Amino acid sequence: MNPRLPLTTAPKPSGFGSPQLDPSEAGFSLAELAVSTAIAAIVLLASLLIFDVNSRVSRVQTQVTDLQQSQRIAQQEMLRMARMAGRGGLPQGFSISVNDSVPAGFQVAGNDVVPGTDVLTIRGVFSAPIFHVASVGGAFSHNQGLQTGSLAVDSISPAGIPQSLDAFKDALAANRPEGLLIVSPADPTIYAVVQITGGAVVGADVNGDGSVDAGEERATLTFTSNPGSSAHNAAYIGMSAGGAFSPRLNTAAFVGVLEEYRFYIRDARTAEGGNEPKLSRAQVFPNTNLVYDGNAANGAVDIADHVLDLQVALAIDVNGDRAIDDVSAPEADEWLFNHSDDVDTDSFWGAADVDANWTGRLFQLRLTTLVRTDRPDPGYQSDPIDFLENHEYAEPDAAANGDQVLDRSFRRRMMATLVDLRNIG
């Protein structure tokens, strides 16, 4: 008997006779595909938006960081130099001066200055040592009639302290008309600034032990006190006490090579006619408009980019009470150049130098800089500026035209630093 064949179950017919598919093998419906695509598009757009926002924030933060760095560099360089103003014995009337709110066309060492900004001039013995001079042995002499003199400086001071003579070596080798600041041991108000005319630095027995040891040198310098001898010396003698070489200056205690630096906002225009302001430093021969060493590069040493403004205010003890009145209204306080009514030639500000009661003493400087970012930020508008010290901006609350919109689309920062003067008074 044949075994019974197993029965098979035929698939059940589904509508229109088509077979029914297993649910695990079914695809997306059109509605599901549309919803999935829409969600994916929303997620992608959100991601792109987040990326764009983060990119913009990062770009702004980078620019603000660069702005703050420029601000710090600008302030630090001026602060460092200003603190040394007058070093070597130069009085305050010649140590620090300010060209306030310069007009259009004003130049420093042949470079245009942004109108309305200030120019800060600082003089003193900065790079080289303040040399001690022996008071005996013919180390100093001056002929008042011939208006010539000589000076000897040793590589070891009378107190036994080494002092490098490299500044004199460099000046003599380059034949530069350096200004020499000479201060009397009798009274620091007896001083003169003269032009070095020649000399030499040679080995010498400066410690008196009978032999010339390594490093023992003597600089013998000649100078002129005749203001008619050169344009340089006319400017130098003009800074001397009383504007002339005093006959009371018959011996020297200290001498130094005098330097002058001017800080200003350089109007560096591009080929496209734009304005790229920079804080620059110029070195000139003291009390002249002649760039140092005849090198034009010394007239425009750029310190920081995108510095729009430099304003300098001077704290002067007008009444001699050894304090600065900054409580009164700006036009009546003891800060010079912090109000448009302040004029340094007014008798209110007193004499150029401090008297016995400290009246007229210059206590501090206030350095204020305005710096902007490298690029504008579309859609951003900086806060309006009314005054920066005595520089009037009078910007409206909202930009009124295309130029104002562009100017204020840059992020701007102001910084003010008080500088205590260490060598004045």
Side-chain angles (χ1 to χ4, degrees):
M1 185 172 181
N2 294 329
R4 196 167 184 175
L5 295 175
L7 296 177
T8 60
T9 304
K12 295 181 179 180
S14 181
F16 301 100
S18 60
Q20 174 125 21
L21 298 177
D22 191 327
S24 64
E25 299 176 357
F28 290 106
S29 68
L30 183 60
E32 291 173 328
L33 183 60
V35 171
S36 300
T37 303
I39 294 174
I42 292 172
V43 172
L44 181 60
L45 288 174
S47 300
L48 291 174
L49 180 61
I50 293 172
F51 177 80
D52 181 67
V53 170
N54 286 339
S55 176
R56 180 178 175 182
V57 170
S58 176
R59 184 170 61 251
V60 169
Q61 288 178 337
T62 299
Q63 292 190 26
V64 170
T65 299
D66 292 341
L67 175 154
Q68 292 171 335
Q69 181 68 2
S70 291
Q71 190 81 275
R72 284 192 293 267
I73 292 172
Q75 291 275 345
Q76 178 61 30
E77 182 67 13
M78 290 188 292
L79 173 67
R80 181 180 66 86
M81 298 294 292
R83 280 179 173 168
M84 293 194 294
R87 182 174 182 264
L90 194 67
Q92 75 175 41
F94 296 108
S95 297
I96 292 179
S97 62
V98 177
N99 294 99
D100 181 58
S101 302
V102 301
F106 191 93
Q107 290 189 330
V108 170
N111 298 282
D112 291 331
V113 181
V114 174
T117 63
D118 292 354
V119 177
L120 173 64
T121 298
I122 299 173
R123 300 188 184 106
V125 179
F126 301 133
S127 303
I130 298 172
F131 298 97
H132 292 227
V133 183
S135 58
V136 296
F140 176 84
S141 66
H142 178 255
N143 188 308
Q144 196 74 17
L146 297 177
Q147 296 182 301
T148 58
S150 65
L151 180 71
V153 181
D154 292 339
S155 59
I156 300 177
S157 75
I161 300 173
Q163 47 188 11
S164 171
L165 304 180
D166 288 347
F168 296 137
K169 293 178 183 178
D170 293 343
L172 294 171
N175 195 27
R176 284 195 302 267
E178 298 277 16
L180 190 67
L181 174 62
I182 307 173
V183 181
S184 168
D187 188 339
T189 64
I190 304 173
Y191 72 95
V193 183
V194 295
Q195 178 183 336
I196 298 175
T197 56
V201 179
V202 298
D205 180 18
V206 298
N207 61 7
D209 64 354
S211 64
V212 178
D213 300 324
E216 285 190 300
E217 296 177 308
R218 173 169 295 151
T220 303
L221 309 173
T222 59
F223 62 86
T224 176
S225 58
N226 179 10
S229 63
S230 71
H232 287 84
N233 207 42
Y236 296 163
I237 292 295
M239 290 187 290
S240 301
F245 196 100
S246 172
R248 298 171 60 197
L249 185 56
N250 48 32
T251 186
F254 306 101
V255 299
V257 177
L258 190 63
E259 301 170 57
E260 177 174 331
Y261 296 92
R262 299 178 187 176
F263 293 90
Y264 65 101
I265 305 300
R266 187 165 69 89
D267 192 358
R269 298 190 180 275
T270 65
E272 293 77 20
N275 184 6
E276 181 63 26
K278 301 173 182 288
L279 177 69
S280 292
R281 183 188 67 233
Q283 183 177 6
V284 298
F285 286 107
N287 204 29
T288 76
N289 289 317
L290 303 172
V291 65
Y292 185 75
D293 208 19
N295 184 356
N298 288 326
V301 179
D302 292 332
I303 298 171
D305 295 332
H306 313 301
V307 184
L308 300 177
D309 200 353
L310 166 63
Q311 294 294 314
V312 183
L314 308 177
I316 299 176
D317 185 9
V318 174
N319 56 15
D321 65 353
R322 304 193 181 193
I324 298 299
D325 172 21
D326 57 2
V327 179
S328 302
E331 64 271 23
D333 63 10
E334 291 183 312
W335 281 95
L336 176 61
F337 300 136
N338 73 328
H339 190 273
S340 57
D341 288 343
D342 291 347
V343 179
D344 57 345
T345 55
D346 287 348
S347 58
F348 173 80
W349 298 106
D353 292 311
V354 58
D355 66 11
N357 297 318
W358 287 33
T359 302
R361 178 185 173 184
L362 177 61
F363 267 65
Q364 292 177 318
L365 297 181
R366 184 165 61 221
L367 304 174
T368 304
T369 50
L370 176 65
V371 182
R372 67 164 173 81
T373 52
D374 179 26
R375 296 179 181 180
D377 186 2
Y380 172 82
Q381 186 178 76
S382 61
D383 293 333
I385 300 174
D386 191 14
F387 281 92
L388 199 66
E389 296 291 2
N390 64 343
H391 187 180
E392 183 178 0
Y393 281 81
E395 292 181 339
D397 290 339
N401 55 53
D403 289 340
Q404 291 181 2
V405 170
L406 178 59
D407 288 343
R408 292 176 60 179
S409 64
F410 291 89
R411 295 177 184 269
R412 305 179 297 189
R413 296 290 187 274
M414 289 182 288
M415 178 182 288
T417 302
L418 288 178
V419 184
D420 290 320
L421 303 174
R422 299 176 175 176
N423 300 285
I424 295 177

